[in-house]
Amino acid sequence: MSWIDRVRKSIPFIAKRETPDNLWHKCPGCGQMVFLKEYEENQSVCPKCDHHGRIGPDARFNSLFDGGMYTLLPAPTVREDPLKFRDSKRYTDRIKAARSATGEQDALVNAKGQIEGKRAVVGVQDFAFMGGSMGMGVGAAFVAGAEAAIADRCPYIIFTAAGGARMQEGILSLMQMPKTTVAIEMLREAGLPYIVVLTDPTTGGVTASYAMLGDIQIAEPGALIGFAGQRVIEQTIREKLPPGFQRAEYLLEHGMIDMVTHRHKLRETLATLIDYLVPVAA
């Protein structure tokens, strides 16, 4: 028996304690490691560089509504896989995987509650659900959110985050652009505000429709906002685009949006806007 074996037998070694592998978050903005609990308690904003991370509906609703109290609106039922689409995987399999990962029916979730005592219906797109892509489910949810706001005589606030239209639904996904536009017109005819908060990223057909039709256009700091990608635009016009092109601050400077608001100030900003815009009789 070797000396190391004798030592092992004579000394009671303590078993290695398992350490969770999700205690830290690496900030994509500054590359620093941030304690995950601290990061989440800061609404997924990096305490070192102020980078705004992507968050889903649950985190958004909890930080926005009074006391984290809200009522989820039921997800509309739509026909799934109308084109029987298949690429490397079946579309139905991709939907099942996204639902399993996020716990959501589709990429847009609506809830109603109060923001500093003021009623509101809020829709949140989740980029984690197939890139927040806009299909029939998203279009139907948007219309349902607008109708709920009209029924409750309160504003409809949408937080956008999408890579664009859902390619697996083809032309049917593009039909959601005019469909959501009609829903916005219904809000305006009812005299109710439609407020858009653009989050990272908001691109493609979503930008070309309901994301840019708000009575008030707000964006979170550093959010990527655009229709086509920067590389595609540069190849088309054969010019180099300026630094920060398609970021929230650039769009504000060039008059495309009304304000860039830090996530920590969104709640009070939205409450103030509701005070200004909602009819007194509502």
Side-chain angles (χ1 to χ4, degrees):
M1 181 183 293
S2 68
W3 68 269
I4 193 165
D5 290 328
R6 289 196 298 270
V7 170
R8 281 177 177 167
K9 285 192 173 185
S10 62
I11 300 176
F13 282 92
I14 299 172
K16 182 180 178 182
R17 188 168 56 184
E18 293 295 325
T19 303
D21 56 2
N22 60 345
L23 287 177
W24 297 90
H25 169 79
K26 185 175 182 180
C27 175
C30 63
Q32 296 293 311
M33 299 299 291
V34 183
F35 191 42
L36 183 61
K37 189 172 185 293
E38 178 187 3
Y39 179 70
E40 290 177 344
E41 288 176 349
N42 203 39
Q43 297 183 36
S44 296
V45 176
C46 178
K48 302 181 185 298
C49 71
D50 224 28
H51 177 270
H52 283 50
R54 297 169 185 170
I55 61 175
D58 287 345
R60 185 72 73 179
F61 293 146
N62 285 328
S63 66
L64 197 63
F65 288 118
D66 295 351
M69 301 292 292
Y70 56 88
T71 302
L72 287 174
L73 301 185
T77 301
V78 298
R79 185 180 173 189
E80 294 181 0
D81 197 13
L83 305 180
K84 305 299 180 186
F85 191 93
R86 179 172 187 149
D87 45 60
S88 59
K89 294 181 181 178
R90 292 187 303 173
Y91 178 35
T92 52
D93 291 338
R94 292 189 184 277
I95 293 175
K96 288 176 184 176
R99 286 174 178 167
S100 176
T102 63
E104 296 153 12
Q105 187 69 15
D106 215 305
L108 177 58
V109 181
N110 288 307
K112 62 180 180 178
Q114 293 189 345
I115 303 174
E116 295 192 1
K118 301 161 185 69
R119 299 191 315 276
V121 175
V122 179
V124 176
Q125 276 185 280
D126 190 356
F127 193 76
F129 193 107
M130 296 185 70
S133 52
M134 175 183 63
M136 292 193 298
V138 168
F142 186 96
V143 173
E147 290 176 341
I150 292 170
D152 209 28
R153 297 296 300 164
C154 67
Y156 187 37
I157 303 169
I158 187 81
F159 286 78
T160 61
R166 190 169 296 175
M167 58 174 254
Q168 291 90 345
E169 295 185 18
I171 190 65
L172 298 174
S173 66
L174 297 179
M175 289 170 64
Q176 307 314 306
M177 297 168 68
K179 182 177 182 177
T180 54
T181 303
V182 171
I184 295 167
E185 191 58 33
M186 289 165 53
L187 283 164
R188 292 193 174 134
E189 288 176 358
L192 297 168
Y194 169 57
I195 301 171
V196 179
V197 182
L198 302 153
T199 73
D200 182 72
T202 298
T203 61
V206 171
T207 305
S209 55
Y210 58 86
M212 299 303 289
L213 294 176
D215 297 310
I216 300 290
Q217 297 286 143
I218 307 173
E220 289 192 327
L224 175 67
I225 305 162
F227 179 63
Q230 182 169 338
R231 184 169 54 185
V232 173
I233 297 172
E234 288 179 338
Q235 290 173 349
T236 302
I237 66 175
R238 296 179 182 175
E239 289 184 18
K240 188 71 176 174
L241 295 170
F245 178 76
Q246 291 186 325
R247 293 292 172 178
E249 292 75 12
Y250 185 93
L251 269 65
L252 176 64
E253 185 180 340
H254 289 79
M256 292 291 290
I257 59 177
D258 297 304
M259 63 183 82
V260 175
T261 304
H262 195 285
R263 188 171 293 167
H264 293 166
K265 297 182 179 179
L266 263 177
R267 187 167 177 272
E268 62 182 86
T269 299
L270 290 171
T272 300
L273 290 173
I274 294 171
D275 256 348
Y276 288 157
L277 298 175
V278 174
V280 175

